[in-house]
Amino acid sequence: MNTARSSPRVLVVDDEADLRELLEITLLKMGLDVDSAENLAQARALLAQHEYALVLTDMRLPDGLGLELVREVSAAFRNTPIAVVTAYGSTDNAVVALKAGAFDYISKPVALDQLRLMVQSALRLNAPASETHSAPAPPSRLRGESAVIQALRAQIARLARSMAPIAITGESGSGKELAAREVHALGSRASKPFIAVNCGAIPEALMEAEFFGYRKGAFTGASDERDGFFQAANGGTLMLDEVADLPLAMQVKLLRAIQERRVRKIGATVEEPVDVRIISATHKNLEKLVDEGHFRQDLFYRLNVIELALPPLRERLDDLGVLTDAILERLGTFDQKVRLGPGVLEALRGYSFPGNVRELENILERALAFANDGVIEVRDLALKGAKLADTPPGYVPPPQDVEGMDAPAWVKSPQAAAAAITATYDGGNTINSTNAMPSPAADVPHVQMPPLPVLDILPSNLPEYLAMVEREIILRALAQTQYNRTQAASLLGISFRQLRYQMQKLNIQEPES
Ligand SMILES: Nc1ncnc2c1ncn2[C@@H]1O[C@H](COP(=O)(O)OP(=O)(O)OP(=O)(O)O)[C@@H](O)[C@H]1O
Ligand SMILES: [Mg+2]
């Protein structure tokens, strides 16, 4: 900007004098310079004269639609975010404006707290860029040189500058979460939290409390006030992962929160404003779920403003080299670099990667365990069809260990899984809440309903005690399956995603091998 020391300048476009005045006063109080226009013609004239840090326009103007201005500004003044003021309840306008390139929208009657949040977020957009002007952009974490990945990176860079909800689709392990993190990291919200929530793993009864938080005493066990995901992500980004798994009742509440940009803690009397960018992701076909009545059309419409589709790895095998190099670099240690032996890349090229990049990571990580001197050979890959005869004890073939992939049939059947386990009961293992691992290969018999432990004393904090018990059980299942989470989940009769969620929640980490 050429006027370095002066305040950022904002253009307000509205034909209603009252509203224009309210917006002007609020913005002036925020220390901004304000110009105003009553129609598109005046707005265009002002845009030609000044550089604006933000344009705020009404949708209906005497000489046309605010939408026209949205299109013009986002095409001709790429550094100027433009937001629209929409009539109350007109979801359609907001979504159309966001699709046309609006940075954000605010609905009438304009809530001043929300207006301030929006303006601050718009002003942050250009601030970091000018400070770090000469510094080169950090390399994207989304690796790959294929045309589709390059286009994706460009799209992410554009989307990072707006508030528009993004719906990310793609097969399991294709990089949906990575893409969401990238959108967050490149935008004005980067310094604020990024919270990813696995919607499929939260027990339905806890959902409202998890999303919106609760007040002290709101229900039995609510001994302290607690924030939910929305408050935790305030100012930042909330990723609704596996959004297709949201129960219908929760979909209604989420839609409201997203539309109103306000949430109410359980037990609270007032709502609080939240400034959260929503990114959703799923590997399911949401449109189909809408048709079948399992997903609400209105929420779908709200979430699906901009689509970001991640291609499966098998459709961009040209990226294998770059991806493999990046993974090997990470797997190597200070004194040992990991390399691929002859023919390995070709062998990988012949594979279809149902578990995508994550499966590639798993295959290489596992292969490294069998490799000599850090050189991975074709036989170490144990790809489908490869001989597993020389497998050392404890080895589990990769496809069953791929996160998010459907486990093979035998893992899904608890009986079969139990039969595959030698039952030797380790009676000495007592429950403890430390981070210590339970003794590793102690296989415990596996029944649907083991007897309840008989307690001589009662816990004074039941939730904490139950968490401790749960932690212990999960650690045992993990130890028993050599940390194969697909198998451990199956042992415990829960989904892979539930296990992953509980592990995150209980802070159970895989041991560094
Ligand atoms: N283009 C890429 N470059 C580098 N690493 C990648 C890329 N895509 C994915 N990965 C890596 O692959 C793994 C899986 O990615 P991510 O968790 O984002 O996938 P996902 O689509 O969210 O999977 P799921 O459907 O199981 O939730 C991560 O370790 C991620 O860092
Ligand atoms: Mg994911």
Side-chain angles (χ1 to χ4, degrees):
M1 235 173 257
N2 43 13
T3 48
R5 300 292 305 167
S6 67
S7 313
R9 193 185 273 258
V10 180
L11 174 60
V12 172
V13 191
D14 203 320
D15 56 331
E16 262 177 77
D18 287 352
L19 184 57
R20 207 170 54 227
E21 217 167 281
L22 175 74
L23 296 174
E24 276 172 13
I25 292 171
T26 312
L27 296 168
L28 285 169
K29 276 200 187 149
M30 291 178 76
L32 304 169
D33 282 343
V34 186
D35 287 340
S36 30
E38 291 173 29
N39 51 43
L40 291 179
Q42 284 181 12
R44 287 181 183 125
L46 284 165
L47 277 162
Q49 288 169 34
H50 304 282
E51 197 171 331
Y52 289 100
L54 170 68
V55 178
L56 197 56
T57 181
D58 194 13
M59 271 306 241
R60 277 165 185 277
L61 293 160
D63 53 349
L65 289 177
L67 205 56
E68 293 173 43
L69 209 56
V70 170
R71 296 216 169 89
E72 287 166 26
V73 169
S74 46
F77 307 97
R78 303 204 82 164
N79 290 328
T80 302
I82 173 162
V84 295
V85 183
T86 59
Y88 178 75
S90 86
T91 307
D92 292 9
N93 272 344
V95 171
V96 170
L98 288 171
K99 282 195 195 226
F103 149 77
D104 202 355
Y105 69 93
I106 188 154
S107 43
K108 289 186 209 175
V110 174
L112 294 184
D113 50 0
Q114 288 182 342
L115 175 67
R116 285 189 206 101
L117 287 174
M118 186 184 83
V119 172
Q120 280 157 2
S121 152
L123 297 180
R124 277 202 305 269
L125 268 181
N126 290 325
S130 54
E131 279 159 25
T132 56
H133 215 218
S134 51
S140 171
R141 285 172 295 181
L142 267 173
R143 304 291 186 96
E145 293 310 323
S146 56
V148 35
I149 285 292
Q150 293 196 31
L152 198 74
R153 276 199 296 263
Q155 193 187 4
I156 287 176
R158 271 199 313 278
L159 294 180
R161 294 180 55 85
S162 102
M163 251 303 260
I166 302 178
I168 306 183
T169 56
E171 290 180 11
S172 183
S174 58
K176 296 187 290 297
E177 182 162 344
L178 193 63
R181 288 183 184 277
E182 197 72 358
V183 169
H184 175 78
L186 294 180
S188 64
R189 310 179 155 258
S191 63
K192 298 290 168 67
F194 173 94
I195 308 272
V197 176
N198 186 340
C199 300
I202 311 167
E204 194 167 345
L206 300 183
M207 273 211 167
E208 195 174 349
E210 293 274 11
F211 273 99
F212 306 131
Y214 52 81
R215 296 289 302 275
K216 184 174 174 170
F219 47 81
T220 327
S223 53
D224 280 305
E225 170 147 2
R226 236 198 67 181
D227 279 349
F229 300 136
F230 272 92
Q231 292 94 350
N234 206 0
T237 306
L238 179 60
M239 178 183 184
L240 305 174
D241 207 354
E242 304 310 336
V243 73
D245 297 342
L246 277 174
L248 281 166
M250 196 58 206
Q251 291 178 23
V252 181
K253 290 181 178 147
L254 264 184
L255 176 67
R256 223 187 97 79
I258 293 170
Q259 258 171 356
E260 309 284 320
R261 296 191 184 175
R262 289 179 188 281
V263 295
R264 183 179 13 229
K265 285 186 169 169
I266 301 179
T269 47
V270 287
E271 295 189 318
E272 50 191 317
V274 282
D275 166 32
V276 169
R277 182 180 197 174
I278 302 287
I279 299 184
S280 60
T282 177
H283 64 280
K284 294 187 181 160
N285 184 341
L286 262 194
E287 242 164 329
K288 191 160 158 266
L289 291 176
V290 170
D291 289 343
E292 293 165 356
H294 298 302
F295 202 84
R296 288 182 64 105
Q297 169 92 49
D298 46 10
L299 182 61
F300 172 75
Y301 185 67
R302 244 303 125 100
L303 295 175
N304 227 57
V305 175
I306 292 181
E307 270 177 52
L308 203 64
L310 282 152
L313 181 53
R314 83 188 76 87
E315 284 174 18
R316 53 182 190 102
L317 287 174
D318 283 346
D319 287 339
L320 264 182
V322 181
L323 286 169
T324 305
D325 285 349
I327 297 166
L328 295 183
E329 194 174 320
R330 186 162 53 72
L331 291 178
T333 56
F334 185 64
D335 42 37
Q336 187 176 53
K337 264 185 71 108
V338 184
R339 285 189 300 113
L340 296 187
V344 171
L345 209 53
E346 289 67 32
L348 288 172
R349 272 184 157 278
Y351 186 60
S352 68
F353 295 99
N356 294 292
V357 185
R358 184 182 294 113
E359 186 177 12
L360 175 65
E361 290 177 340
N362 288 347
I363 289 171
L364 293 175
E365 236 168 277
R366 204 165 279 284
L368 180 61
F370 301 112
N372 289 323
D373 302 326
V375 182
I376 293 175
E377 305 290 352
V378 175
R379 67 181 135 81
D380 301 326
L381 297 175
L383 297 176
K384 235 179 258 168
K387 276 205 306 198
L388 295 174
D390 301 331
T391 341
Y395 172 74
V396 186
Q400 291 140 25
D401 200 23
V402 173
E403 286 191 2
M405 270 182 57
D406 275 345
W410 72 269
V411 179
K412 278 196 185 135
S413 140
Q415 294 88 338
I421 290 164
T422 345
T424 52
Y425 182 57
D426 165 33
N429 243 357
T430 46
I431 289 173
N432 67 67
S433 62
T434 64
N435 284 343
M437 287 288 145
S439 50
D443 289 355
V444 177
H446 181 235
V447 293
Q448 197 173 3
M449 283 291 158
L452 287 173
V454 182
L455 300 177
D456 298 329
I457 37 173
L458 292 175
S460 63
N461 185 328
L462 181 61
E464 233 170 63
Y465 180 79
L466 291 178
M468 190 176 85
V469 174
E470 187 174 17
R471 195 185 148 83
E472 167 70 15
I473 290 173
I474 290 175
L475 282 171
R476 279 195 182 204
L478 287 167
Q480 191 157 313
T481 58
Q482 275 89 41
Y483 268 75
N484 180 321
R485 287 182 283 177
T486 307
Q487 283 182 18
S490 165
L491 262 183
L492 299 175
I494 58 179
S495 71
F496 173 82
R497 286 168 207 286
Q498 277 169 320
L499 178 68
R500 189 167 64 176
Y501 174 79
Q502 292 308 103
M503 283 176 67
Q504 272 168 11
K505 193 161 165 166
L506 298 166
N507 195 20
I508 297 176
Q509 267 136 25
E510 291 203 36
E512 305 278 325
S513 52

